[in-house]
Amino acid sequence: MSESSSPSGADSDSPSESPSGPGSVPGPASTVLSPGAVTSVRLVKAGREKVRYDATVLSDDGVRVTVRAPWSLPTTRDFGFVRFEPGDVFTEHYWRDRWFAVKEVRDAQGGLKGWYCDITRPVLATEDGALVSEDLDLDLWLSADGSAVLRLDEDEFAASGLAERDPRAAGRAARALDELEELAHRGGFPALLAAQG
């Protein structure tokens, strides 16, 4: 489901390498993006690029990159717990040293819908200014009022074979989901997203 939740519907079947390798974190040489620049966000899964869309860079302190992008599909996607629809705006936070990305979702009038979180390898900013995020299937949804904290796609994660192929990465992914769930239950998202570095 995480592929469908991205702000763009532009799916691609072109091959893509893993952005950061099993368990590695990009070093200080990783490209730092300039605020105001347009970056291409590339979401990859199982070694293949699944979605690519343009986003505007809001900030990049060398550890966390924050970008903003509209929901660009012409149609609504109803997941039951939330509807993503034309006019929605995603403010997306990616880390070079954490195994998740947090996407704040607002409607066209600026009303907060909630936060959609992807469990990913640490993001890589490439030399050509793209952001590459490798999806590891697990997701979490936190509603705007905090009443719904939903762990998603655990069946897909179990079926992916990551635990057999890369046990360390699977362990990091599971711990990242637990960390986000704990933060969600204790109201820790605002502090997480306000913190720098």
Side-chain angles (χ1 to χ4, degrees):
M1 192 192 86
S2 53
E3 296 158 15
S4 302
S5 67
S6 76
S8 171
D11 288 357
S12 167
D13 290 323
S14 62
S16 175
E17 295 298 319
S18 169
S20 54
S24 67
V25 177
S30 180
T31 301
V32 175
L33 305 181
S34 299
V38 175
T39 183
S40 177
V41 179
R42 296 172 49 206
L43 305 181
V44 301
K45 185 173 179 179
R48 298 179 66 84
E49 183 176 290
K50 301 302 293 183
V51 179
R52 181 187 297 217
Y53 54 91
D54 288 341
T56 300
V57 178
L58 300 181
S59 64
D60 183 356
D61 62 10
V63 176
R64 186 179 77 191
V65 185
T66 300
V67 302
R68 182 168 291 148
W71 172 258
S72 63
L73 289 179
T75 56
T76 295
R77 293 278 178 92
D78 189 343
F79 298 114
F81 54 88
V82 66
R83 289 163 57 94
F84 294 157
E85 48 204 337
D88 285 353
V89 176
F90 289 64
T91 301
E92 307 181 354
H93 305 269
Y94 299 90
W95 283 264
R96 293 177 175 88
D97 63 351
R98 297 182 188 230
W99 287 65
F100 54 73
V102 177
K103 302 173 182 183
E104 178 187 279
V105 187
R106 292 184 179 270
D107 63 25
Q109 291 71 45
L112 179 63
K113 292 187 173 186
W115 295 268
Y116 194 93
C117 308
D118 291 320
I119 302 303
T120 68
R121 293 187 191 272
V123 76
L124 174 64
T126 64
E127 289 184 3
D128 62 358
L131 274 181
V132 183
S133 180
E134 183 180 352
D135 179 59
L136 298 178
D137 291 305
L138 295 171
D139 303 287
L140 182 130
W141 170 254
L142 170 62
S143 62
D145 64 3
S147 63
V149 179
L150 306 174
R151 294 168 68 104
L152 306 169
D153 301 331
E154 291 181 288
D155 54 343
E156 292 182 23
F157 178 71
S160 72
L162 183 65
E164 292 73 35
R165 291 193 317 275
D166 191 344
R168 181 178 179 275
R172 294 294 297 268
R175 289 194 297 276
L177 182 62
D178 290 343
E179 177 184 352
L180 284 173
E181 183 180 27
E182 181 184 349
L183 277 172
H185 281 299
R186 60 182 171 85
F189 271 42
L192 170 69
L193 302 181
Q196 295 298 309

